[in-house]
Amino acid sequence: MFKVNYKGYLQSYFTNSYKNRRISYSYRTNGDPTKAGGVTTRYDEKVDLKENLFILKKESVPALITSEKYVSNLNNYRRAAKFEMTMTKFPNSAPRYNATSWEDVSKRIFKSSGFGGEIAKTNYYKNDLAQVLANSNSEIEKTFGIYNFVKSKMKWNQGYGIFVSDGVRKAYKNGLGNVAEINLMLTSMLRSAGLNANPVLISTRSHGVPMFPTIDGFNYVISSVVFKDGSYALLDATEPYSLPNLLPPRTINWNGRMVKSDGTSVSIDLVPKKHSSEDNMISIKISDDVVTGLMRTKLTNYKAYAFRVNNNHVKDESTQAKLEEKYNIEIDNFRITNKTSSKPISRMIKFSSEDLIETIGGKLYIQPLLFLTETSNPFKSEKRNFPVDFVTPWQEKNTISIDIPAGYKVESVPETMAISMAENYGTFKFQVLQSPKKIKILAIAQINKAVFTPEFYPELKEFYNRMVKKQSEKIVLVKE
């Protein structure tokens, strides 16, 4: 007996029918050759069965659009049907049921020597753990102390999997291991410290969302700690720049499965709750069509994580060159702080540019957000059949201060605007304040939901349309 599992938008293309069939077969049994009269007996049998026929008849099946932005893994939405064998029944034998639940799968994984058995091993790190915990008293202190120790002690060999390869002891000795070895080791240490720690099984973004319960549905494991107040922290010690509840984006794929010490399991949401933010403050002066300015930027959560992953392995000069190309500016001074700490990234840029102002008929035309202006909508398709995935909720705040050059006055500025999506899923606020010598622009875009279903796509697209249009309006200065 089979069960069909659909993904994508294929189900409506099938027609289903049934057909009765009869199978004839024969088999032989051998008599005992040591006894008199031992002979071979032939048996002829017939079995009546019912076939379930699935027929796919569809021409010109629409292709998945691969150029769309904010997509997790297109294979999750590619049209497909998979048939899972749920039961077998042979003549003269009891039925054998193969279908399992995620609870059953989790128990089987936990009972494996390459998983639960590795968590139970503790002798190899006892002395080191005692030193780590010497000055730790609270749950938070113990968690951070152990987590940071494992991150500094272990290096990830880029190996995935939910089972160990060489084992936690050898990995600990060599300071090198796969995902399971590092994070099962972390879980074991946290438990040894008296914390309520459990491994969490995950299917990564590249692996896809599993369609039905199977051990192969998981290819990654992280750790978790549930605190006495009911809150919890998700931990991945394979990444030097990850933090509690700030997992590598590859792991943020809907839900994971927390496996408790007794082998039972519960589903756990992996999507971040905190906003990742980028806060830019720019002040500029205009002289002879040349703009000089100072930009200060603060990055938090995944914005800071992405910056560290993309830039910490290169020299600041290379990062500076990329910014000059991206913003079409010349950077005269450049400084970054908190590159390796858990604090927000802080960046300062002194710059100049001859391309931020248009002079037409003696008037100066300035884009309010300068080189931070969104010039096009990333959502261009009329409709979308798979979710928009931002990975995390986010906020971008831009504060621009423009000194009005001598001899000029304001002719016009964009009007204030505030828009929001249904359910408060997103907001955009835009405001221009002016005085005789200065113009101040404040623009805040915020998305409060990490994943948007296809049904919400039209509203999200229109939200971006209005946001881009407002940012494209110009400030106009004229000579006094």
Side-chain angles (χ1 to χ4, degrees):
M1 181 179 295
F2 289 84
K3 179 176 70 175
V4 62
N5 299 280
Y6 299 99
K7 72 171 183 176
Y9 297 85
L10 191 65
Q11 186 170 359
S12 60
Y13 300 160
F14 275 104
T15 59
N16 190 214
S17 64
Y18 297 93
K19 180 180 179 180
N20 293 319
R21 284 189 57 193
R22 171 172 290 183
I23 296 177
S24 300
Y25 67 96
S26 62
Y27 64 95
R28 300 174 186 274
T29 59
N30 296 324
D32 188 347
T34 63
K35 296 182 179 179
V39 295
T40 298
T41 305
R42 174 188 170 112
Y43 295 91
D44 295 309
E45 299 283 354
K46 294 181 180 179
V47 176
D48 292 322
L49 56 87
K50 182 166 63 175
E51 287 183 338
N52 194 355
L53 304 177
F54 292 86
I55 301 173
L56 174 61
K57 290 184 178 180
K58 181 68 176 179
E59 296 180 358
S60 303
V61 175
L64 278 178
I65 301 174
T66 58
S67 60
E68 291 278 8
K69 291 189 175 182
Y70 303 110
V71 179
S72 173
N73 180 352
L74 267 180
N75 283 328
N76 287 334
Y77 316 108
R78 200 174 299 280
R79 296 168 175 85
K82 289 189 177 181
F83 294 85
E84 176 192 8
M85 182 180 289
T86 60
M87 186 267 285
T88 55
K89 172 67 172 71
F90 293 97
N92 304 317
S93 64
R96 179 179 177 180
Y97 295 94
N98 299 324
T100 59
S101 65
W102 285 119
E103 181 76 10
D104 295 331
V105 168
S106 301
K107 285 183 178 180
R108 288 170 59 191
I109 293 172
F110 182 77
K111 290 179 181 179
S112 168
S113 60
F115 191 89
E118 296 292 306
I119 297 175
K121 297 174 181 178
T122 60
N123 287 332
Y124 64 96
Y125 61 69
K126 276 190 174 181
N127 293 335
D128 291 338
L129 182 61
Q131 294 180 26
V132 172
L133 297 176
N135 298 313
S136 300
N137 297 310
S138 68
E139 289 183 309
I140 298 295
E141 289 175 343
K142 291 178 180 180
T143 299
F144 270 86
I146 295 171
Y147 180 52
N148 289 329
F149 170 73
V150 175
K151 284 202 298 181
S152 63
K153 166 71 177 175
M154 300 300 300
K155 182 179 180 181
W156 181 37
N157 64 10
Q158 304 297 311
Y160 284 57
I162 57 176
F163 300 114
V164 299
S165 177
D166 295 327
V168 289
R169 285 196 182 97
K170 186 174 181 180
Y172 189 81
K173 180 181 178 181
N174 295 333
L176 183 71
N178 69 3
V179 165
E181 285 156 347
I182 293 174
N183 285 327
L184 293 182
M185 176 192 304
L186 172 63
T187 303
S188 180
M189 289 186 183
L190 293 167
R191 286 185 178 180
S192 292
L195 297 165
N196 182 11
N198 300 292
V200 178
L201 299 168
I202 286 175
S203 174
T204 60
R205 286 173 170 260
S206 60
H207 193 60
V209 177
M211 292 176 58
F212 50 85
T214 171
I215 289 179
D216 294 336
F218 299 115
N219 71 324
Y220 204 97
V221 59
I222 62 172
S223 187
S224 67
V225 176
V226 179
F227 300 112
K228 292 178 182 178
D229 64 0
S231 63
Y232 63 85
L234 300 178
L235 310 166
D236 186 346
T238 66
E239 283 287 348
Y241 303 122
S242 64
L243 297 169
N245 291 328
L246 191 73
L247 300 172
R250 62 176 174 268
T251 67
I252 303 172
N253 193 28
W254 299 90
N255 294 323
R257 197 84 195 172
M258 180 190 290
V259 185
K260 300 180 181 180
S261 55
D262 60 359
T264 60
S265 65
V266 294
S267 179
I268 189 164
D269 188 2
L270 300 172
V271 178
K273 304 298 185 295
K274 289 185 177 180
H275 287 71
S276 297
S277 67
E278 177 176 339
D279 192 342
N280 297 301
M281 297 183 66
I282 301 177
S283 59
I284 66 167
K285 294 181 178 180
I286 304 168
S287 178
D288 297 327
D289 294 340
V290 176
V291 171
T292 58
L294 176 68
M295 177 180 180
R296 299 182 185 276
T297 300
K298 184 174 76 171
L299 305 173
T300 69
N301 295 331
Y302 278 97
K303 296 278 190 179
Y305 172 90
F307 182 91
R308 292 180 174 115
V309 169
N310 294 329
N311 296 284
N312 277 11
H313 63 289
V314 300
K315 294 182 179 180
D316 284 354
E317 290 81 359
S318 297
T319 304
Q320 177 178 324
K322 289 179 182 178
L323 287 172
E324 288 181 324
E325 182 178 359
K326 177 181 180 181
Y327 294 144
N328 196 21
I329 59 176
E330 292 184 12
I331 296 177
D332 306 311
N333 199 349
F334 182 80
R335 186 176 70 245
I336 304 173
T337 56
N338 300 328
K339 288 177 67 175
T340 58
S341 75
S342 59
K343 296 179 180 179
I345 289 284
S346 180
R347 183 181 66 198
M348 184 278 293
I349 299 171
K350 286 185 178 180
F351 66 90
S352 61
S353 176
E354 297 179 1
D355 300 307
L356 293 178
I357 294 178
E358 288 182 286
T359 302
I360 303 174
K363 297 181 180 181
L364 303 182
Y365 293 83
I366 309 169
Q367 286 187 319
L369 300 187
L370 306 173
F371 47 76
L372 299 178
T373 302
E374 288 276 358
T375 58
S376 64
N377 189 341
F379 305 111
K380 303 184 186 304
S381 300
E382 287 300 315
K383 63 179 182 178
R384 182 156 165 161
N385 291 328
F386 43 86
V388 174
D389 190 342
F390 290 110
V391 181
T392 172
W394 57 266
Q395 182 195 78
E396 185 172 318
K397 180 180 179 182
N398 296 313
T399 305
I400 315 295
S401 179
I402 302 173
D403 286 355
I404 300 174
Y408 282 85
K409 65 179 180 180
V410 176
E411 180 180 84
S412 64
V413 297
E415 294 182 356
T416 295
M417 184 176 78
I419 58 175
S420 62
M421 288 188 281
E423 307 295 331
N424 196 36
Y425 286 160
T427 59
F428 177 65
K429 299 177 182 178
F430 185 93
Q431 185 178 30
V432 180
L433 302 174
Q434 65 182 83
S435 64
K437 294 185 178 181
K438 195 179 290 288
I439 301 171
K440 186 176 181 180
I441 303 98
L442 177 64
I444 305 174
Q446 182 167 310
I447 294 294
N448 300 318
K449 185 178 172 64
V451 180
F452 288 80
T453 60
E455 292 76 17
F456 211 85
Y457 177 76
E459 184 169 353
L460 182 64
K461 180 181 178 181
E462 178 58 22
F463 175 83
Y464 266 79
N465 276 336
R466 297 180 66 185
M467 188 164 61
V468 168
K469 183 178 179 181
K470 174 55 65 173
Q471 291 186 34
S472 299
E473 297 176 3
K474 300 289 182 69
I475 295 170
V476 182
L477 305 181
V478 295
K479 291 183 178 180
E480 292 182 312

